[in-house]
Amino acid sequence: MLQSLPTQSFGGIEQSEQKKKEEFRNYSDSLRTDIVNYTYLQNHMNQTVYFVESMRAEYSKFQRAKMTLWQALERLDEVVDDSDPDTSNPQIYHAFQTAEALREKYPEIEWLPLVGLIHDLGKIMVLPEFGGLPQWATVGDNYPVGCAYSDKIVKSEFFQYNPDAANSTYNTLYGIYQPNCGLKNVLLAWGHDEYMYMVCKHNRSTLPQMALDIIRFHSFYPWHKEKAYEHLMSESDYETRKWARRFSKCDLYSKSHDLHTPEQVEKVLKPYYQSLIEKYFPNPVLEW
């Protein structure tokens, strides 16, 4: 369940007003630099083509749990993202911050706040009943494996320790891919994005494809922010990138917004989001 956090520790309107946009995603000297660097070092060392393919196969079984979306969401209260330089709050707070920021900015798009609510739900993979994966296999910016690493990836210098970097099959511009093959045909590093996309597809969510693609690619910052990997994009990926970028701004900058209290969630937010869940997830109990 959502727990109250002390206002003096996590701020509110004052924090929102003080933090400038250019102060987000500070990977050089934030208060969380050590844990962030360690997480990215482990990520860039270990995310190989073999690892990604094995994780996709393992998590395609959907045998880890059966629970409602809301029950899974509440488990985010146990998860802090070690790759994030901007917040040490449990991820459940970020879920509501993102959802409400999108709801305010795009009131005409009914499904978008729900995407904001669940976009990071795949991070429950760090919990024991969902596999107990290490943080490096769950969180962080995303990028393709099986081809040369872009220098636009956060902490790209750590890829020198990845065995795929020395593999001639994988270390060229296109690697195992064809020009303009489309992102749906590209293996991205394993993490919460792909897992939640798979959960939605497996449980027959009626969210539109654009919603599913935002979930799948929202952490692909070198692509939607830095415009890397255009040589792998299909024509439709340009529209997806536009929406991923719009989503990203609400995802990122809402981290300094006020935190919702348990009372606000239970009395105000839960009824609204539960109605969206029921609309876009016809089966109330999902396989995870």
Side-chain angles (χ1 to χ4, degrees), residues 127-190:
L127 302 178
E129 64 265 51
F130 297 96
L133 292 186
Q135 288 263 341
W136 63 260
T138 306
V139 302
D141 284 7
N142 220 336
Y143 51 86
V145 297
C147 64
Y149 304 111
S150 169
D151 61 5
K152 301 296 185 182
I153 302 169
V154 168
K155 302 296 177 181
S156 61
E157 65 272 19
F158 293 154
F159 285 118
Q160 64 183 298
Y161 307 113
N162 188 306
D164 283 0
N167 188 323
S168 60
T169 302
Y170 302 141
N171 63 11
T172 63
L173 179 64
Y174 289 99
I176 60 176
Y177 308 111
Q178 296 298 317
N180 307 116
C181 60
L183 295 186
K184 67 180 181 180
N185 298 309
V186 173
L187 284 174
L188 296 184
W190 177 253

Side-chain angles (χ1 to χ4, degrees), residues 111-130:
W111 49 263
L112 195 53
L114 178 58
V115 172
L117 188 70
I118 68 173
H119 75 289
D120 278 346
L121 191 46
K123 293 177 183 179
I124 58 176
M125 287 191 295
V126 303
L127 302 178
E129 64 265 51
F130 297 96

Side-chain angles (χ1 to χ4, degrees), residues 4-279:
S4 294
L5 294 178
T7 305
Q8 64 269 28
S9 295
F10 296 99
I13 294 175
E14 293 82 1
Q15 180 184 4
S16 177
E17 290 177 346
Q18 290 176 3
K19 192 161 188 177
K20 301 175 182 179
K21 289 184 177 180
E22 59 268 22
E23 294 175 330
F24 286 87
R25 290 178 59 81
N26 173 7
Y27 291 98
S28 58
D29 58 359
S30 77
L31 295 176
R32 308 192 77 228
T33 295
D34 289 346
I35 187 64
V36 170
N37 282 345
Y38 178 78
T39 302
Y40 273 106
L41 174 62
Q42 295 297 315
N43 175 283
H44 292 357
M45 287 174 58
N46 293 296
Q47 289 274 2
T48 62
V49 170
Y50 175 81
F51 176 77
V52 172
E53 290 178 336
S54 64
M55 287 295 98
R56 280 196 176 194
E58 176 62 27
Y59 279 87
S60 293
K61 299 174 183 177
F62 301 102
Q63 297 175 345
R64 300 199 175 269
K66 291 185 178 181
M67 63 177 63
T68 67
L69 198 62
W70 199 269
Q71 288 172 326
L73 186 70
E74 290 181 328
R75 300 302 304 277
L76 285 180
D77 194 39
E78 305 170 47
V79 179
V80 174
D81 186 337
D82 287 348
S83 72
D84 193 335
D86 295 311
T87 180
S88 58
N89 293 343
Q91 287 292 289
I92 192 168
Y93 292 94
H94 175 55
F96 287 111
Q97 287 173 319
T98 305
E100 286 296 277
L102 290 161
R103 183 181 177 187
E104 179 179 356
K105 189 169 182 62
Y106 301 102
E108 72 282 4
I109 306 177
E110 180 188 58
W111 49 263
L112 195 53
L114 178 58
V115 172
L117 188 70
I118 68 173
H119 75 289
D120 278 346
L121 191 46
K123 293 177 183 179
I124 58 176
M125 287 191 295
V126 303
L127 302 178
E129 64 265 51
F130 297 96
L133 292 186
Q135 288 263 341
W136 63 260
T138 306
V139 302
D141 284 7
N142 220 336
Y143 51 86
V145 297
C147 64
Y149 304 111
S150 169
D151 61 5
K152 301 296 185 182
I153 302 169
V154 168
K155 302 296 177 181
S156 61
E157 65 272 19
F158 293 154
F159 285 118
Q160 64 183 298
Y161 307 113
N162 188 306
D164 283 0
N167 188 323
S168 60
T169 302
Y170 302 141
N171 63 11
T172 63
L173 179 64
Y174 289 99
I176 60 176
Y177 308 111
Q178 296 298 317
N180 307 116
C181 60
L183 295 186
K184 67 180 181 180
N185 298 309
V186 173
L187 284 174
L188 296 184
W190 177 253
H192 66 282
D193 311 60
E194 186 69 20
Y195 178 48
M196 194 59 206
Y197 171 81
M198 289 165 52
V199 168
C200 291
K201 295 286 285 186
H202 175 74
N203 288 283
R204 296 180 173 85
S205 170
T206 59
L207 283 167
Q209 187 60 46
M210 182 59 73
L212 299 175
D213 287 342
I214 290 173
I215 292 171
R216 192 177 199 179
F217 300 123
H218 75 269
S219 297
F220 194 1
Y221 268 84
W223 168 67
H224 65 64
K225 183 176 187 290
E226 304 294 343
K227 298 186 176 181
Y229 296 103
E230 288 190 340
H231 56 288
L232 300 179
M233 291 171 63
S234 66
E235 192 63 34
S236 63
D237 290 331
Y238 287 89
E239 183 69 13
T240 304
R241 185 171 68 179
K242 180 174 69 174
W243 276 101
R245 186 67 189 135
R246 290 171 177 170
F247 177 90
S248 173
K249 293 178 181 179
C250 291
D251 178 13
L252 179 61
Y253 301 136
S254 65
K255 291 176 184 178
S256 64
H257 290 184
D258 287 338
L259 301 176
H260 300 93
T261 66
E263 293 74 22
Q264 288 174 321
V265 170
E266 190 65 28
K267 295 180 180 179
V268 181
L269 300 183
K270 185 174 181 178
Y272 171 73
Y273 286 104
Q274 188 60 46
S275 69
L276 291 180
I277 291 170
E278 291 171 1
K279 178 173 182 178

